[in-house]
């Protein structure tokens, strides 16, 4: 569980790459220490989970109401960052407490620190993007041009980064393969529950409001259950077991070959 040696981005970024924010985002938000997906089916489930999570983050109601409320999107992004900053460490802490009998948390200390750095990097990027937009608006005129261009670059960077961290959920798969779907589930529900409690349906009817508010968390939860079920069924990875306590997967037995006997007969007679 130790972190691989080398730089965060593995030295793959060039100066030209900084003209394409999506490449920088891939290097920064999906670094080399994050483990690769176990199989294509789990990766496909992650993609669907990412789409459902994006629906929860952006808010379908902005499209249903007939407009793309950019200011509201920025506000939702800051709210999501506040939720992530609190709920991600809290959820991981609860799981570490549950794993306390399976092994010491020190076994996963390095991946935990790397995940925390990735979380803070993403939140800092979102906050920086919002501040750049607010600054460019406040300045106005030709002086806003450099801030506006920087804000547009950061928007592409954060959008591509959000796609990455929605899949790996800040690299928590390096701690436990089941943490990304678990964290995605908890986060989407926490984003939806306040609207249900306060009755804020964002101008939609009762039926449509509940449908769009609950649609994303229910979808994310269903996909997360399928994802964790597949990890348990085919790879022996259980949410309740700290990875070092999981026994290694048995190797496939050699193919059965029927005994042919001694082709030369019994040299010692019967």
């Amino acid at each position: 569980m130790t972190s691989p040696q080398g730089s965060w981005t593995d030295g793959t970024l060039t100066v030209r790459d900084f003209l394409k924010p999506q490449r920088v985002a891939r290097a920064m938000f999906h670094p080399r220490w994050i483990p690769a997906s176990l199989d294509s089916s789990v990766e496909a489930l992650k993609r669907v989970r990412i789409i459902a999570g994006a629906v929860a983050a952006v808010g379908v109601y902005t499209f249903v109401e007939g407009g793309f409320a950019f200011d509201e999107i920025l506000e939702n992004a800051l709210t999501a960052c506040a939720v992530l900053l609190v709920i991600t460490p809290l959820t991981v802490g609860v799981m570490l407490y549950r794993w306390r009998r399976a092994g010491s948390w020190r076994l996963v200390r390095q991946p935990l620190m790397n995940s925390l750095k990735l979380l803070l990097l993403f939140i800092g990027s979102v906050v920086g993007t919002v501040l750049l937009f607010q600054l460019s608006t406040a300045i106005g005129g030709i002086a806003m041009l450099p801030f506006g261009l920087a804000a547009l670059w950061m928007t592409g960077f954060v959008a591509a980064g959000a796609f990455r961290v929605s899949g790996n959920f800040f690299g928590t798969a390096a701690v436990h393969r089941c943490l990304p779907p678990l964290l995605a589930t908890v986060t989407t529900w926490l984003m939806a529950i306040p609207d249900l409690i306060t009755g804020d349906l964002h101008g939609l009817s009762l039926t449509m409001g509940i449908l769009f508010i609950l649609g994303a968390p229910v979808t994310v939860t269903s996909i997360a259950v399928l994802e964790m079920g597949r990890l348990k069924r085919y790879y022996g990875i259980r949410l309740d077991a700290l990875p070092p306590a999981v026994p290694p997967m048995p190797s496939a037995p050699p193919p059965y070959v029927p005994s042919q006997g001694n082709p030369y007969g019994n040299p010692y007679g019967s």
Side-chain angles (χ1 to χ4, degrees):
M1 302 294 290
T2 57
S3 177
Q5 299 297 320
S7 66
W8 186 278
T9 63
D10 198 23
T12 56
L13 284 178
T14 63
V15 175
R16 182 175 297 181
D17 288 333
F18 281 88
L19 297 175
K20 299 179 179 180
Q22 69 273 17
R23 290 190 179 181
V24 182
R26 177 170 186 172
M28 298 301 296
F29 294 117
H30 196 88
R32 62 191 300 266
W33 50 265
I34 295 179
S37 180
L38 291 174
D39 63 26
S40 57
S41 298
V42 172
E43 192 65 26
L45 289 174
K46 285 183 180 181
R47 291 192 185 97
V48 180
R49 174 163 56 81
I50 290 170
I51 295 172
V55 171
V58 174
V60 179
Y61 59 87
T62 57
F63 298 95
V64 175
E65 290 177 336
F68 187 83
F70 186 72
D71 291 339
E72 198 162 0
I73 295 300
L74 295 179
E75 182 182 342
N76 287 348
L78 292 177
T79 302
C81 286
V83 172
L84 288 172
L85 187 59
V86 174
I87 200 59
T88 301
L90 181 61
T91 304
V92 174
V94 170
M95 294 311 302
L96 287 174
Y97 179 77
R98 294 199 61 175
W99 293 331
R100 69 191 186 282
R101 295 181 180 178
S104 172
W105 70 273
R106 293 179 180 85
L107 295 171
V108 292
R109 179 168 54 185
Q110 187 61 44
L112 281 172
M113 293 305 298
N114 285 338
S115 297
L116 178 60
K117 293 176 185 176
L118 196 55
L119 171 64
L120 295 177
L121 174 63
F122 180 74
I123 292 177
S125 300
V126 174
V127 173
T129 303
V130 174
L131 291 177
L132 281 172
F133 272 110
Q134 292 177 343
L135 186 60
S136 62
T137 302
I139 293 176
I142 193 64
M144 68 170 288
L145 184 59
F147 296 100
L149 291 175
L152 290 176
W153 189 94
M154 286 295 296
T155 299
F157 175 72
V158 169
F163 176 81
R164 297 293 171 184
V165 298
S166 296
N168 60 51
F169 223 94
F170 308 105
T172 49
V175 180
H176 195 297
R177 293 278 186 174
C178 290
L179 274 180
L182 173 66
L183 288 167
T185 300
V186 173
T187 302
T188 51
W189 276 106
L190 284 179
M191 293 292 293
I193 287 177
D195 287 339
L196 291 175
I197 294 177
T198 61
D200 183 9
L201 302 180
H202 308 286
L204 299 174
S205 65
L206 178 63
T207 302
M208 292 294 290
I210 293 177
L211 175 64
F212 284 115
I213 290 174
L214 292 183
V218 169
T219 303
V220 169
T221 301
S222 302
I223 296 169
V225 170
L226 289 173
E227 188 176 336
M228 288 189 285
R230 186 173 180 85
L231 289 171
K232 179 180 178 180
R233 186 179 305 113
Y234 296 104
Y235 302 97
I237 300 175
R238 297 181 294 109
L239 180 61
D240 283 338
L242 189 67
V246 177
M249 296 297 294
S251 57
Y256 173 73
V257 178
S259 175
Q260 302 297 323
N262 189 341
Y264 302 103
N266 185 354
Y268 301 102
S270 56

